[in-house]
Amino acid sequence: GGGELRLEVGGDVAGGVFYVDDGTADLRAGGSFKAGNNQGLKPILALGDARFNLTSGKAMALEAIVDPIFATLPAPADIEGFQNRFFRYSADSAVNLTALSGDISLENDPKRLNEATNTALQENAFLVYPASLQVKALNGNLNTNKSFTLFPSVQGNLELYAQGDITGNGLIHLS
């Protein structure tokens, strides 16, 4: 099982949902990853037990990084009132983002995702990212607009680098 997704464009990637469940994805844009025509959503990365590598020549703005199994499940409660949730992420799931000459922005807004897609996220909840996240704005700033947490893993890794500022309007939870 598994697969590979490769995308290489000389210009911009405007919106879209990119999904790999068990494999790798390499997405490269000579321009920017930016908002598209789908209600102004920026690209969404959806993955299970997979690795994503994105490189942009300019800026990179992502709407979200999600496990689609978790994001699309309704929130049923059992008799005790507990909610059951499932993930396809593994300890090896990872996303690597590199912007060569622009800013990187991670939106992470569950309310906006619910309005524009088929997700069922609690609007006040934070998103769950894969076990490892590497973000490099080599000649720009890095901004996280809402909170997120990394999927639990003994080998997980968080690496943030910006030539300019690293700012955020939320928390980053390590588990």
Side-chain angles (χ1 to χ4, degrees), residues 62-81:
L62 298 179
E63 199 67 47
I65 301 170
V66 298
D67 178 332
I69 300 300
F70 177 81
T72 57
L73 286 175
D78 66 12
I79 294 173
E80 304 289 324

PDB file of all heavy atoms in Angstrom, residues 62-81:
ATOM      1  N   LEU A  62      -0.748  28.193   4.371  1.00  0.00           N
ATOM      2  CA  LEU A  62      -1.551  26.964   4.410  1.00  0.00           C
ATOM      3  C   LEU A  62      -2.753  27.164   5.314  1.00  0.00           C
ATOM      4  O   LEU A  62      -2.638  27.758   6.387  1.00  0.00           O
ATOM      5  CB  LEU A  62      -0.713  25.800   4.931  1.00  0.00           C
ATOM      6  CG  LEU A  62       0.512  25.417   4.094  1.00  0.00           C
ATOM      7  CD1 LEU A  62       1.263  24.272   4.753  1.00  0.00           C
ATOM      8  CD2 LEU A  62       0.114  25.062   2.671  1.00  0.00           C
ATOM      9  N   GLU A  63      -3.895  26.663   4.864  1.00  0.00           N
ATOM     10  CA  GLU A  63      -5.118  26.740   5.672  1.00  0.00           C
ATOM     11  C   GLU A  63      -5.000  25.824   6.879  1.00  0.00           C
ATOM     12  O   GLU A  63      -5.325  26.206   7.995  1.00  0.00           O
ATOM     13  CB  GLU A  63      -6.331  26.355   4.825  1.00  0.00           C
ATOM     14  CG  GLU A  63      -7.633  26.810   5.393  1.00  0.00           C
ATOM     15  CD  GLU A  63      -7.768  28.321   5.382  1.00  0.00           C
ATOM     16  OE1 GLU A  63      -7.488  28.969   4.359  1.00  0.00           O
ATOM     17  OE2 GLU A  63      -8.177  28.862   6.434  1.00  0.00           O
ATOM     18  N   ALA A  64      -4.534  24.591   6.636  1.00  0.00           N
ATOM     19  CA  ALA A  64      -4.441  23.629   7.736  1.00  0.00           C
ATOM     20  C   ALA A  64      -3.640  22.414   7.313  1.00  0.00           C
ATOM     21  O   ALA A  64      -3.457  22.149   6.124  1.00  0.00           O
ATOM     22  CB  ALA A  64      -5.838  23.187   8.176  1.00  0.00           C
ATOM     23  N   ILE A  65      -3.195  21.688   8.310  1.00  0.00           N
ATOM     24  CA  ILE A  65      -2.606  20.364   8.144  1.00  0.00           C
ATOM     25  C   ILE A  65      -3.476  19.451   8.996  1.00  0.00           C
ATOM     26  O   ILE A  65      -3.602  19.669  10.202  1.00  0.00           O
ATOM     27  CB  ILE A  65      -1.139  20.337   8.609  1.00  0.00           C
ATOM     28  CG1 ILE A  65      -0.313  21.347   7.802  1.00  0.00           C
ATOM     29  CG2 ILE A  65      -0.579  18.924   8.495  1.00  0.00           C
ATOM     30  CD1 ILE A  65       1.086  21.565   8.330  1.00  0.00           C
ATOM     31  N   VAL A  66      -4.105  18.443   8.369  1.00  0.00           N
ATOM     32  CA  VAL A  66      -5.090  17.639   9.094  1.00  0.00           C
ATOM     33  C   VAL A  66      -4.940  16.153   8.801  1.00  0.00           C
ATOM     34  O   VAL A  66      -4.423  15.757   7.764  1.00  0.00           O
ATOM     35  CB  VAL A  66      -6.543  18.062   8.752  1.00  0.00           C
ATOM     36  CG1 VAL A  66      -6.825  19.483   9.147  1.00  0.00           C
ATOM     37  CG2 VAL A  66      -6.844  17.851   7.275  1.00  0.00           C
ATOM     38  N   ASP A  67      -5.416  15.354   9.731  1.00  0.00           N
ATOM     39  CA  ASP A  67      -5.659  13.934   9.516  1.00  0.00           C
ATOM     40  C   ASP A  67      -7.130  13.859   9.113  1.00  0.00           C
ATOM     41  O   ASP A  67      -8.016  14.132   9.931  1.00  0.00           O
ATOM     42  CB  ASP A  67      -5.404  13.153  10.802  1.00  0.00           C
ATOM     43  CG  ASP A  67      -5.674  11.670  10.659  1.00  0.00           C
ATOM     44  OD1 ASP A  67      -6.514  11.274   9.824  1.00  0.00           O
ATOM     45  OD2 ASP A  67      -5.064  10.891  11.409  1.00  0.00           O
ATOM     46  N   PRO A  68      -7.452  13.525   7.857  1.00  0.00           N
ATOM     47  CA  PRO A  68      -8.855  13.580   7.417  1.00  0.00           C
ATOM     48  C   PRO A  68      -9.764  12.600   8.151  1.00  0.00           C
ATOM     49  O   PRO A  68     -10.964  12.844   8.238  1.00  0.00           O
ATOM     50  CB  PRO A  68      -8.779  13.267   5.921  1.00  0.00           C
ATOM     51  CG  PRO A  68      -7.478  12.580   5.739  1.00  0.00           C
ATOM     52  CD  PRO A  68      -6.554  13.098   6.796  1.00  0.00           C
ATOM     53  N   ILE A  69      -9.224  11.517   8.675  1.00  0.00           N
ATOM     54  CA  ILE A  69     -10.052  10.591   9.459  1.00  0.00           C
ATOM     55  C   ILE A  69     -10.539  11.287  10.726  1.00  0.00           C
ATOM     56  O   ILE A  69     -11.710  11.235  11.080  1.00  0.00           O
ATOM     57  CB  ILE A  69      -9.260   9.316   9.819  1.00  0.00           C
ATOM     58  CG1 ILE A  69      -8.795   8.591   8.569  1.00  0.00           C
ATOM     59  CG2 ILE A  69     -10.083   8.401  10.722  1.00  0.00           C
ATOM     60  CD1 ILE A  69      -9.911   8.128   7.648  1.00  0.00           C
ATOM     61  N   PHE A  70      -9.644  11.990  11.400  1.00  0.00           N
ATOM     62  CA  PHE A  70     -10.013  12.717  12.613  1.00  0.00           C
ATOM     63  C   PHE A  70     -10.922  13.897  12.294  1.00  0.00           C
ATOM     64  O   PHE A  70     -11.914  14.141  12.972  1.00  0.00           O
ATOM     65  CB  PHE A  70      -8.753  13.208  13.332  1.00  0.00           C
ATOM     66  CG  PHE A  70      -9.035  14.028  14.556  1.00  0.00           C
ATOM     67  CD1 PHE A  70      -9.340  13.415  15.753  1.00  0.00           C
ATOM     68  CD2 PHE A  70      -9.020  15.420  14.507  1.00  0.00           C
ATOM     69  CE1 PHE A  70      -9.604  14.159  16.896  1.00  0.00           C
ATOM     70  CE2 PHE A  70      -9.283  16.169  15.641  1.00  0.00           C
ATOM     71  CZ  PHE A  70      -9.581  15.531  16.826  1.00  0.00           C
ATOM     72  N   ALA A  71     -10.601  14.636  11.253  1.00  0.00           N
ATOM     73  CA  ALA A  71     -11.319  15.879  10.939  1.00  0.00           C
ATOM     74  C   ALA A  71     -12.748  15.651  10.484  1.00  0.00           C
ATOM     75  O   ALA A  71     -13.598  16.514  10.665  1.00  0.00           O
ATOM     76  CB  ALA A  71     -10.559  16.669   9.878  1.00  0.00           C
ATOM     77  N   THR A  72     -13.039  14.501   9.874  1.00  0.00           N
ATOM     78  CA  THR A  72     -14.376  14.297   9.324  1.00  0.00           C
ATOM     79  C   THR A  72     -15.290  13.460  10.206  1.00  0.00           C
ATOM     80  O   THR A  72     -16.455  13.271   9.875  1.00  0.00           O
ATOM     81  CB  THR A  72     -14.295  13.634   7.937  1.00  0.00           C
ATOM     82  OG1 THR A  72     -13.568  12.405   8.052  1.00  0.00           O
ATOM     83  CG2 THR A  72     -13.616  14.541   6.946  1.00  0.00           C
ATOM     84  N   LEU A  73     -14.770  12.945  11.314  1.00  0.00           N
ATOM     85  CA  LEU A  73     -15.628  12.172  12.215  1.00  0.00           C
ATOM     86  C   LEU A  73     -16.565  13.083  12.989  1.00  0.00           C
ATOM     87  O   LEU A  73     -16.152  14.119  13.492  1.00  0.00           O
ATOM     88  CB  LEU A  73     -14.782  11.388  13.224  1.00  0.00           C
ATOM     89  CG  LEU A  73     -14.047  10.161  12.722  1.00  0.00           C
ATOM     90  CD1 LEU A  73     -13.167   9.595  13.826  1.00  0.00           C
ATOM     91  CD2 LEU A  73     -15.015   9.106  12.252  1.00  0.00           C
ATOM     92  N   PRO A  74     -17.833  12.697  13.111  1.00  0.00           N
ATOM     93  CA  PRO A  74     -18.708  13.460  14.012  1.00  0.00           C
ATOM     94  C   PRO A  74     -18.248  13.223  15.446  1.00  0.00           C
ATOM     95  O   PRO A  74     -17.414  12.375  15.705  1.00  0.00           O
ATOM     96  CB  PRO A  74     -20.087  12.858  13.759  1.00  0.00           C
ATOM     97  CG  PRO A  74     -19.815  11.502  13.227  1.00  0.00           C
ATOM     98  CD  PRO A  74     -18.496  11.570  12.494  1.00  0.00           C
ATOM     99  N   ALA A  75     -18.766  13.958  16.350  1.00  0.00           N
ATOM    100  CA  ALA A  75     -18.333  13.865  17.744  1.00  0.00           C
ATOM    101  C   ALA A  75     -19.359  13.103  18.584  1.00  0.00           C
ATOM    102  O   ALA A  75     -19.991  13.664  19.464  1.00  0.00           O
ATOM    103  CB  ALA A  75     -18.105  15.254  18.315  1.00  0.00           C
ATOM    104  N   PRO A  76     -19.548  11.799  18.336  1.00  0.00           N
ATOM    105  CA  PRO A  76     -20.511  11.050  19.133  1.00  0.00           C
ATOM    106  C   PRO A  76     -19.963  10.782  20.531  1.00  0.00           C
ATOM    107  O   PRO A  76     -18.773  10.617  20.711  1.00  0.00           O
ATOM    108  CB  PRO A  76     -20.669   9.737  18.359  1.00  0.00           C
ATOM    109  CG  PRO A  76     -19.346   9.549  17.704  1.00  0.00           C
ATOM    110  CD  PRO A  76     -18.861  10.952  17.370  1.00  0.00           C
ATOM    111  N   ALA A  77     -20.828  10.753  21.475  1.00  0.00           N
ATOM    112  CA  ALA A  77     -20.427  10.455  22.851  1.00  0.00           C
ATOM    113  C   ALA A  77     -21.029   9.118  23.248  1.00  0.00           C
ATOM    114  O   ALA A  77     -22.127   8.765  22.838  1.00  0.00           O
ATOM    115  CB  ALA A  77     -20.909  11.549  23.792  1.00  0.00           C
ATOM    116  N   ASP A  78     -20.283   8.352  24.041  1.00  0.00           N
ATOM    117  CA  ASP A  78     -20.824   7.092  24.535  1.00  0.00           C
ATOM    118  C   ASP A  78     -21.697   7.361  25.765  1.00  0.00           C
ATOM    119  O   ASP A  78     -21.947   8.513  26.132  1.00  0.00           O
ATOM    120  CB  ASP A  78     -19.707   6.092  24.813  1.00  0.00           C
ATOM    121  CG  ASP A  78     -18.792   6.521  25.954  1.00  0.00           C
ATOM    122  OD1 ASP A  78     -19.126   7.466  26.690  1.00  0.00           O
ATOM    123  OD2 ASP A  78     -17.731   5.891  26.119  1.00  0.00           O
ATOM    124  N   ILE A  79     -22.148   6.314  26.409  1.00  0.00           N
ATOM    125  CA  ILE A  79     -23.039   6.451  27.567  1.00  0.00           C
ATOM    126  C   ILE A  79     -22.409   7.274  28.677  1.00  0.00           C
ATOM    127  O   ILE A  79     -23.077   8.036  29.361  1.00  0.00           O
ATOM    128  CB  ILE A  79     -23.450   5.054  28.091  1.00  0.00           C
ATOM    129  CG1 ILE A  79     -24.297   4.345  27.042  1.00  0.00           C
ATOM    130  CG2 ILE A  79     -24.184   5.144  29.412  1.00  0.00           C
ATOM    131  CD1 ILE A  79     -24.627   2.906  27.367  1.00  0.00           C
ATOM    132  N   GLU A  80     -21.095   7.158  28.810  1.00  0.00           N
ATOM    133  CA  GLU A  80     -20.379   7.896  29.859  1.00  0.00           C
ATOM    134  C   GLU A  80     -20.128   9.354  29.472  1.00  0.00           C
ATOM    135  O   GLU A  80     -19.634  10.134  30.270  1.00  0.00           O
ATOM    136  CB  GLU A  80     -19.034   7.219  30.150  1.00  0.00           C
ATOM    137  CG  GLU A  80     -19.138   5.761  30.538  1.00  0.00           C
ATOM    138  CD  GLU A  80     -19.727   5.579  31.925  1.00  0.00           C
ATOM    139  OE1 GLU A  80     -19.447   6.401  32.798  1.00  0.00           O
ATOM    140  OE2 GLU A  80     -20.491   4.612  32.115  1.00  0.00           O
ATOM    141  N   GLY A  81     -20.417   9.712  28.227  1.00  0.00           N
ATOM    142  CA  GLY A  81     -20.185  11.077  27.771  1.00  0.00           C
ATOM    143  C   GLY A  81     -18.812  11.299  27.161  1.00  0.00           C
ATOM    144  O   GLY A  81     -18.438  12.421  26.846  1.00  0.00           O
TER     145      GLY A  81
END
